[in-house]
Amino acid sequence: MYADDETVRGILQDTGDTWAVVGLSNNRSRAAYGVAEVLKRFGKRVVPVHPKAEQVHGEQGYASLADIPFPVDVVDVFVNSDLAGAVADEAVAAGAKAVWFQLGVVDEAAYERTRAAGLSMVMDCCPAIEIPRLDPRR
C-alpha cells in the first residue's frame, strides 16, 4: 500500500541520484550503513545526515537536511517512527523530490502530508531490497 512497484521504480530510476540518508553514521552494525553501501554500488550519491556530521563512505556528513548546501533528490529515513514525520517535513522544506521511510518506519500522517506536498514517497520498505529487484542495471 505504501510501496507500490511504480512509485518504488520511479524513485529509484527517475527521481535523481543524490540521496540524503538520515541516521547514517560510521557504525557498520547499523542497517543504514549497509543500505548506503548498496545505494552507492548502484550509482547513488549517498549523503550522511546524522548529529555527528561525520564522513561516511567517502562523503561529507551533515547534522541536518537544512545544512546540506546542494540539492537532494531523495531523503532516506532511518529514524524511529515517532521522529520520522519531522524528517519528512524537513525533506519537503529542503526541496527534495521524494522521501523513503525504511522498513519498520511508519507514520501515515507524514505519508499523507508528504504526498500532498507533491513528493513521491514510500514507507516501510528498503531500497537495498528493491533496487536489485527493479533496477535494470543490476
Side-chain angles (χ1 to χ4, degrees):
M1 177 173 174
Y2 296 109
D4 63 275
D5 279 355
E6 181 181 343
T7 302
V8 168
R9 185 176 285 108
I11 292 172
L12 291 173
Q13 295 176 353
D14 304 326
T15 300
D17 290 334
T18 302
W19 286 53
V21 181
V22 178
L24 176 57
S25 70
N26 275 313
N27 185 341
R28 294 173 181 263
S29 68
R30 304 291 295 184
Y33 192 89
V35 169
E37 280 185 321
V38 172
L39 290 170
K40 285 185 66 70
R41 202 173 21 199
F42 280 86
K44 307 301 181 188
R45 177 182 185 189
V46 174
V47 181
V49 179
H50 189 278
K52 293 180 183 178
E54 58 193 4
Q55 184 173 336
V56 183
H57 295 304
E59 188 74 44
Q60 171 63 46
Y62 298 90
S64 71
L65 289 173
D67 292 339
I68 300 173
F70 48 82
V72 169
D73 300 309
V74 181
V75 176
D76 190 4
V77 182
F78 279 93
V79 300
N80 293 330
S81 295
D82 59 337
L83 303 174
V87 176
D89 295 339
E90 291 171 23
V92 171
K97 299 173 189 170
V99 175
W100 192 298
F101 280 9
Q102 282 295 322
L103 286 172
V105 180
V106 176
D107 181 332
E108 293 181 6
Y111 179 88
E112 296 301 328
R113 285 194 313 274
T114 303
R115 299 282 296 184
L119 281 71
S120 296
M121 183 169 180
V122 297
M123 183 165 67
D124 194 23
C125 186
C126 181
I129 294 169
E130 299 299 326
I131 199 167
R133 184 175 75 82
L134 297 175
D135 193 309
R137 297 175 289 179
R138 59 182 164 150

